Every structure is written in structure tokens, then in C-alpha cells.
Amino acid sequence: MKALIDKITDEVTAAFKENGYDGKYGRVTVSNRPDLCEYQCNGAMAAAKEYKCAPFMISDKIAETLSGNAMFESAESVKPGFINLKISPEYLAEYVSEMKEDEGRFGCEKTKNPKTIIIDYGGPNVAKPLHVGHLRSAIIGESVKRICRYMGHNVIGDVHLGDWGLQMGLIIVELKERKPDLVYFDENYTGEYPKEAPFTISELEDIYPTASGKSKEDENFKAAALQATHELQQGRRGYQALLSHILNVSVTDLKRNYKNLNVEFDLWKGESDAQPYVPEMVQMMKDKGYAYMSDGALVVDVAEETDSKEIPPCIILKSDGASLYSTTDLATIVMRVKDYNPDSIIYLADARQSMHFIQVFRCARKTGLVRDDVELTHIGFGTMNGKDGKPFKTRDGGVMRLEYLLDEINQEMLKKITENQKSKENLDISDEEAKETARTVALAAVKYGDLSNQASKDYVFDIERFTSFEGNTGPYILYTIVRIKSILKKYEASGQSLPKSALLSAHSASEKKLMLSLSGFNAMMENAYEEKAPHRICAYIYELANAFNGFYHETKILSEENQKVQSSYIGLLMLTKDILETCIDVLGFSAPDRM
Ligand code: ARG
């Protein structure tokens, strides 16, 4: 379905043309003065310059023409030359009814040119527990993935594990100190390695921080870890076998954590998977004259004449031949092109990594790793801060483990839900259901709290505000959905089935406002996709939830005596619920049946 705002623009454009003006002045926007009108066109102001007359001479004519148009309830020319529009309630009801018939899509069409899009998000580092720094990548990436998918694209989400850096060498060396007799350290060993990992996840989680601490104090330890990393990268058998154990143990744990976040990856590839592509890629860059030695390292120049700041060369290999973060990212591009031939790769990583991505993208283009028309995008997100405005930490100043943080919020939510149930004397809720509901609502609180901010901005992680049932929060949205579900249930319990018929024209201003809000769904979704911006969806559902609650407070629904009117109300509720649920699903959370 064509977006309502575009249909209105078409009519206004036609009116401009009919009066002898250029149609380009007919662009319509949602009114920024909802007290005066619903839509507005300011084109007469600009047109007046071209046609050298007073703006209202034009706006008067356009308003006159539009007044005869069935699409509008009113079209007014307002000095100095604005055109204020109100849509006809009949036309609006028809549009919204058509949306309702279009189940699951609500007038939002899938793309006619599906692209293959790889979303690189999550980016956890194996053997290190997930911390809050990984939260944003997972939450935003999951939503961007779902937005692209909803629009009909072929989307592949890849976790892109960090499994190739110094942390691997650190773990190997620490493990060797703890268990020197393990066969993995015996260079002369040629047999098969055991299937069972020589450590558990909790051991692994203890090994890494210990090793990392030691490497900061002990030069020799650090040198040994660098050496082990190098040998691993050169393919030493025992270390490769250890790497797969580390991966297995770590990935099992990561999957559990991501599941709790309702985050799901299609691919569990890591940096190490790209290693086989490194030698040939490096050779090509040398052969074609892109890569050269500088201060012992192999580099590719990526600066451009138009740069306003200095963009240093992209380092391809360190002086000892070891791979770097940029090496693995470039080789991963080679791998992805070979495996999936994507039209677009989108990376979710901290905004502080933006230089890295500029270098990698330029290098990939310059050396021809991707077709010219492949889009490479870094969505850089801001920092999650505590209430003190500094990066989020535990009370004692340490790095906050994601698991603990979520546990804390779940507990907080459980308290609220239990209190809420008591106040409503809904005491029939079981402990199990209360816990499950708390988890669902807590996740919505965390995700909405994050996603409602523009990704690039820093934001304050304020548990109290995020978990509130009022205001611009996840729980408020869920509460609205739950309220609708409960009305629909009561309606059905009275023996009536949910209506399929078209909606009647709005009976009140609040009902019209709700319909207007619903009608913006398709345009909003397209915009959220174009901008890869989940916060657009949040802003939309907040407005929609407000419009619904405004309608709900002013309207008797279940006690409405006119059956036709009542069934139209119920239809409107169904559509509101379906759209809200579709939106939160795209954001990556869900609503309980009651709370
Ligand atoms: N593992 C990295 C980190 O923790 C994030 C990876 C982002 N993705 C990428 N292809 N570089 O910072």
C-alpha cells in the first residue's frame, strides 16, 4: 500500500499543477501543530519566490481546489501562506481497514529487490565473559537484522567471534603453567588429541583474567603469550586443538547468554575462520602493488585527497608476520564474498572503532576485495553510561558482567510485578508465571531503554527509569499491549468472536488520532529500514501507545451498546495490538499475556 502521506502529497501536487504551478511544491508533512491540523504543506511559501507573488495568493488557490476533494475534511489557507489539512474520517477509516486486511504487513510492502545483507554483530571475545560493552552490539544488531528481514531482504546474522588475538596466547600460556603435562604442549606428539576439553567454563573464565593480569606485570609472561599467539597463528597443531576446545566451551556458554537476550545468530563464525584466506589476500595486495613495507610492517595507503583529518595507512601484517584486527576483518570480507556474495555488510561496533572501519573499508575497496556496488557500513554506537555519566561499572568499579546485570534487573522486575499483582488482587498468578513475566518485561525494559536512543549517542543506563510502567519505556508499551489483550479476551468471553469487518469512521477526536497514528506504520517502517534506525520504531510505538491510551480512557468499549460501533472499536484494538506486537518483535522482545 502506498503510504498515506504519499497519497496526500499526490493530491496536493495535482492541485498545484492544476493551478499552473510546479508540482514539486506539493510536498506534505505530518503537522508539527497537531492542535491546528493533521498534515501541512508549506510549498506555497517557496513557490511564491518562483512566481513572484504573495504566498497566500497561491495557498488560497490550492486550498480552494483541495476543499472539493473527498480525501480531506478541511483544507485551509493560513497566512502568510501555509496549507493546513485534515483528512476525511471516512477516507482514513478506509485506509486503516485496508491495513487491517493486510495481515502481518499492515500496508507495508516487502522490497521488490531483495538484497543479501550480512549483519556482523555481537562480537564477543571467546573466553572472556560477556560484559555490558557487548550489550549494545547485540541489542541494536538484532533489531537491525530483524528490520532488514521484515522488509524482505535476505539477511544473515554473524556473531563474528573474537578468537584470534592475544587473549588466545594468554590462555594457552596460563593453561601451560597450570597443567604443564597436557599433551597439547608436547611438540613431538603426533597422535589424536582428546575430545574432552581440559577445562570447564568456570576454569576458563578464571584463566583469562588471571593471565591478563600477569601479562601486565610480568614481561616474560607477556612475551610467552605473544609467542604462543604467533605459533597458534602459524598453525601449531596442539594449540589449534586447544583453540577448538576453548571455542566449544565458550560458544556453549555464549549461546546460553544470547538466548536470554532473545538474540539469535545464523552464523557462529570467528576471526579464526578467516585465517585461511590471509596468505592469498596478502600476496594479491603485494602483487598488485597496493601493499608495501613501512617501518617493518606491511601496509596499504588509504588516505584520500579530500580527507579533512589524517587517515593512517591500513596495517595488513605486523613486522613478525602476525595478523591484526584489520587483517582478520579484511580476510573475513574475502570469506563472506566467496560464501555469500553479499550486497551489503553492516557492522555493529563501538563508535570508537570508527577509524578501524574507515581503514578496512577503504582498503577492501581499493584492493578490489568487494564489487564497487557493495555497501560496507559501520553503525557505531555510543557508550552506555551509569547515572554518574561515566561508562557503566559495577558498584566497586569493575567491569559489569552482563549476566549479573540482567539478573539484577530480573529481580527488580519480579518485585514490581508481584506488587502490581497484589494491588490488583490478581493473586492467581503462579510463581513460575511471575518469574517468566518478570524476565519478559525486564528484557523489554533493557532493550527499549537502549533502542529508543539514537544508536550513535551515549546514553545513561538508568534501571529505575527503564523499568517504570509509565513514560517512554518498554514496560509501558507492554502494559498497553496487555491491556488490549485483556479487553479482547473479555469481549470474546462474552460470546462474541473477533470481527473481520471494515472499521467505521472515527466517532471522536481520540479515535481519529489513534487511526492517524496507525496509518503511519508503513512509512515509518520504510524509514527505519533506510536509516537502519530502531529508535524510529520506538518513537512510533510510544506515540501509538499514547494514542491508544487516550482513546481507551475516553471511550467505553465493552459497555458500548451499539454493536456495530463496538465491533469497529474491537477491530481497531486488534489492529493496534497487532502493529504493536509486530514492532516489538522487530525490536527483539515480546509481551506477556498479563502483568
Ligand atoms: N570483538 C570486537 C570487540 O570486542 C568486536 C568485533 C566487531 N566486528 C568486527 N568485524 N570487527 O571489540
Side-chain angles (χ1 to χ4, degrees):
M1 268 166 86
K2 192 165 202 166
L4 185 56
I5 186 110
D6 294 336
K7 290 194 176 217
I8 300 174
T9 293
D10 286 350
E11 294 302 310
V12 180
T13 303
F16 269 88
K17 286 188 186 157
E18 226 177 284
N19 286 284
Y21 302 112
D22 193 327
K24 73 177 180 202
Y25 294 115
R27 204 172 69 86
V28 170
T29 56
V30 173
S31 161
N32 51 22
R33 286 290 304 274
D35 50 326
L36 297 178
C37 60
E38 294 153 359
Y39 299 92
Q40 65 188 59
C41 170
N42 301 344
M45 302 296 288
K49 294 196 185 87
E50 182 179 334
Y51 299 103
K52 304 208 168 42
C53 63
F56 70 86
M57 308 251 301
I58 301 175
S59 58
D60 278 357
K61 282 195 219 161
I62 305 299
E64 166 91 32
T65 305
L66 291 174
S67 295
N69 188 320
M71 188 187 270
F72 302 106
E73 176 182 299
S74 68
E76 276 174 1
S77 164
V78 178
K79 285 203 169 144
F82 300 116
I83 303 158
N84 287 356
L85 301 166
K86 280 191 186 158
I87 195 147
S88 116
E90 291 75 30
Y91 188 90
L92 181 60
E94 254 172 59
Y95 189 87
V96 177
S97 298
E98 213 181 306
M99 286 174 66
K100 186 167 174 272
E101 262 166 51
D102 186 13
E103 251 173 76
R105 304 300 310 177
F106 319 110
C108 175
E109 284 164 33
K110 286 191 179 175
T111 177
K112 294 188 181 61
N113 306 305
K115 291 192 208 166
T116 298
I117 304 175
I118 294 181
I119 317 246
D120 176 317
Y121 70 113
N125 301 310
V126 295
K128 298 189 201 171
L130 282 179
H131 60 81
V132 299
H134 293 113
L135 188 62
R136 298 210 72 190
S137 180
I139 292 180
I140 304 168
E142 181 70 20
S143 179
V144 170
K145 181 186 83 180
R146 290 173 183 225
I147 293 173
C148 297
R149 213 165 257 173
Y150 187 76
M151 295 313 287
H153 296 284
N154 168 22
V155 193
I156 304 157
D158 183 4
V159 70
H160 197 70
L161 291 168
D163 60 0
W164 204 241
L166 181 60
Q167 87 258 32
M168 302 324 263
L170 287 167
I171 294 168
I172 292 173
V173 174
E174 176 63 20
L175 191 65
K176 193 172 177 183
E177 284 198 0
R178 294 186 187 196
K179 305 180 181 178
D181 297 334
L182 287 176
V183 57
Y184 305 91
F185 302 115
D186 178 358
E187 273 185 274
N188 302 318
Y189 183 77
T190 52
E192 288 228 352
Y193 290 105
K195 297 242 167 342
E196 193 76 13
F199 42 72
T200 62
I201 182 70
S202 30
E203 266 177 280
L204 195 55
E205 285 182 352
D206 179 57
I207 290 176
Y208 175 72
T210 311
S212 164
K214 280 189 192 168
S215 78
K216 281 174 194 131
E217 274 149 29
D218 181 349
E219 281 294 314
N220 291 334
F221 191 90
K222 172 125 193 234
L226 278 167
Q227 179 58 25
T229 310
H230 183 68
E231 286 178 34
L232 169 72
Q233 296 191 350
Q234 297 305 313
R236 182 166 160 175
R237 268 185 82 241
Y239 290 1
Q240 292 279 351
L242 275 179
L243 172 69
S244 18
H245 285 312
I246 297 171
L247 273 173
N248 282 337
V249 171
S250 208
V251 164
T252 309
D253 187 57
L254 285 169
K255 283 193 175 159
R256 184 180 57 78
N257 271 285
Y258 281 121
K259 191 157 182 265
N260 288 336
L261 283 171
N262 201 13
V263 168
E264 213 181 321
F265 299 96
D266 305 296
L267 294 180
W268 279 83
K269 297 260 184 213
E271 295 170 343
S272 64
D273 289 298
Q275 289 314 302
Y277 299 89
V278 170
E280 199 179 310
M281 177 184 84
V282 169
Q283 196 56 46
M284 178 279 287
M285 289 181 181
K286 283 185 189 160
D287 290 349
K288 294 199 172 158
Y290 296 120
Y292 65 95
M293 292 304 286
S294 165
D295 289 334
L298 189 70
V299 303
V300 171
D301 284 330
V302 292
E304 288 168 9
E305 267 175 36
T306 48
D307 290 341
S308 53
K309 62 176 177 196
E310 199 201 326
I311 310 289
C314 184
I315 307 181
I316 308 297
L317 289 178
K318 282 203 289 195
S319 45
D320 62 357
S323 288
L324 288 119
Y325 191 37
S326 41
T327 323
T328 51
D329 263 330
L330 287 164
T332 302
I333 293 179
V334 176
M335 175 173 76
R336 287 174 175 162
V337 168
K338 180 179 151 284
D339 291 349
Y340 300 101
N341 192 23
D343 302 295
S344 161
I345 310 178
I346 300 172
Y347 299 76
L348 276 294
D350 196 304
R352 285 169 290 191
Q353 296 192 17
S354 70
M355 182 57 90
H356 164 77
F357 285 105
I358 292 176
Q359 292 173 310
V360 167
F361 294 170
R362 284 188 181 184
C363 182
R365 285 195 192 291
K366 180 172 178 179
T367 62
L369 300 186
V370 288
R371 299 190 317 263
D372 286 344
D373 61 343
V374 172
E375 278 181 74
L376 300 171
T377 317
H378 170 215
I379 300 181
F381 46 80
T383 312
M384 179 173 139
N385 288 325
K387 271 186 173 175
D388 57 0
K390 296 196 187 106
F392 198 89
K393 291 267 157 66
T394 55
R395 281 191 193 96
D396 54 25
V399 175
M400 179 66 120
R401 278 181 67 157
L402 198 52
E403 231 181 322
Y404 300 161
L405 177 71
L406 293 178
D407 276 350
E408 208 175 291
I409 302 172
N410 283 344
Q411 292 307 328
E412 183 89 4
M413 213 61 223
L414 186 58
K415 258 203 293 194
K416 277 200 180 185
I417 302 251
T418 325
E419 275 162 25
N420 200 32
Q421 291 296 333
K422 272 193 197 130
S423 71
K424 289 205 270 164
E425 293 178 29
N426 255 351
L427 291 171
D428 58 332
I429 188 165
S430 69
D431 282 359
E432 206 32 60
E433 186 185 341
K435 269 193 196 147
E436 192 51 46
T437 304
R439 268 199 292 272
T440 306
V441 183
L443 188 60
V446 172
K447 287 197 165 186
Y448 190 93
D450 188 312
L451 294 170
S452 53
N453 302 285
Q454 198 177 325
S456 60
K457 302 217 165 104
D458 296 350
Y459 78 100
V460 173
F461 192 86
D462 182 346
I463 301 189
E464 225 168 81
R465 190 169 74 74
F466 290 0
T467 56
S468 166
F469 283 25
E470 278 147 45
N472 191 5
T473 69
Y476 169 68
I477 305 290
L478 298 196
Y479 205 77
T480 307
I481 296 174
V482 165
R483 172 173 275 163
I484 301 178
K485 282 188 183 178
S486 129
I487 302 171
L488 295 179
K489 229 165 134 190
K490 284 187 192 144
Y491 181 78
E492 282 187 291
S494 72
Q496 286 155 295
S497 53
L498 296 176
K500 291 213 160 58
S501 46
L503 305 175
L504 305 177
S505 309
H507 301 83
S508 64
S510 64
E511 189 182 3
K512 190 175 185 197
K513 204 167 162 194
L514 176 56
M515 287 191 175
L516 277 170
S517 184
L518 288 166
S519 73
F521 173 73
N522 51 9
M524 177 284 296
M525 264 327 256
E526 259 164 50
N527 192 236
Y529 167 73
E530 284 307 326
E531 295 180 11
K532 310 288 177 292
H535 74 276
R536 299 267 177 219
I537 303 178
C538 294
Y540 173 76
I541 55 176
Y542 182 50
E543 179 210 287
L544 179 56
N546 282 337
F548 169 75
N549 286 311
F551 167 71
Y552 168 80
H553 286 299
E554 279 183 14
T555 316
K556 341 179 235 85
I557 299 171
L558 289 171
S559 59
E560 171 60 52
E561 275 155 24
N562 183 329
Q563 278 218 353
K564 276 200 174 140
V565 173
Q566 186 183 48
S567 100
S568 179
Y569 286 163
I570 294 294
L572 194 57
L573 261 59
M574 288 161 63
L575 179 61
T576 306
K577 177 184 91 84
D578 288 348
I579 289 191
L580 285 174
E581 285 195 311
T582 298
C583 287
I584 63 171
D585 184 56
V586 172
L587 292 172
F589 55 90
S590 59
D593 285 330
R594 49 185 186 173
M595 62 193 261

